[in-house]
Amino acid sequence: QVRLMESGGDSVEAGGSLNLSCAVSDYMINRACMGWFRQAPGKEREGIASLVSTDHTKYADSVKGRFLISKDNAKNVLYLHMNNLQPEDTAMYYCCTTRTERYGSTWPLLHSEDCRDWGQGTQVTVSS
């Protein structure tokens, strides 16, 4: 059974940084298409960053230039590096894997329907 476990969420002040991790078990992520999503109270879950098999990345406009998605194949961990955090970034953050391989730079940002496995989430709270 594939398991994903997020960590690294915290409470920070505006302008601060956080690094989220997503440890994956029982599935090798070296060629995986994976993503980060977030869900704020009363809002739908939104995709914010995705990474395909060729390590091409896509970002939502709301986080472009501030967030960076990456992975460590040896550790089987997906990361989300978040800089210049703002109160509107407050949400529960989730990682997912599609269990598919996608190649090239033309794939769009992942949607929830693309994901097959989810972690339990990690809370990020940004105060002004």
Side-chain angles (χ1 to χ4, degrees):
Q1 181 180 354
V2 177
R3 292 175 296 168
L4 289 75
M5 182 170 292
E6 302 92 340
S7 61
D10 205 345
S11 297
V12 297
E13 293 185 350
S17 300
L18 284 174
N19 294 316
L20 306 185
S21 300
C22 172
V24 183
S25 302
D26 297 317
Y27 181 70
M28 299 304 296
I29 69 170
N30 57 325
R31 296 180 182 178
C33 178
M34 302 185 67
W36 284 97
F37 290 73
R38 67 185 181 187
Q39 187 167 19
K43 294 188 177 181
E44 293 186 357
R45 188 172 297 189
E46 62 169 340
I48 55 172
S50 57
L51 183 149
V52 299
S53 307
T54 43
D55 290 345
H56 289 95
T57 57
K58 294 287 183 181
Y59 297 93
D61 289 342
S62 58
V63 306
K64 197 173 294 182
R66 300 187 298 125
F67 290 12
L68 178 70
I69 186 173
S70 66
K71 63 183 173 77
D72 185 325
N73 293 330
K75 295 181 179 179
N76 222 45
V77 176
L78 181 74
Y79 299 102
L80 185 68
H81 310 280
M82 307 187 293
N83 297 311
N84 191 22
L85 285 161
Q86 300 299 315
E88 52 266 33
D89 295 317
T90 295
M92 186 72 78
Y93 283 70
Y94 301 89
C95 62
C96 90
T97 177
T98 65
R99 295 220 219 162
T100 63
E101 297 181 10
R102 299 183 180 184
Y103 295 89
S105 61
T106 61
W107 287 99
L109 190 65
L110 290 179
H111 294 280
S112 297
E113 306 85 70
D114 297 319
C115 296
R116 180 168 174 178
D117 307 291
W118 294 90
Q120 83 292 343
T122 187
Q123 178 68 37
V124 172
T125 303
V126 185
S127 59
S128 57

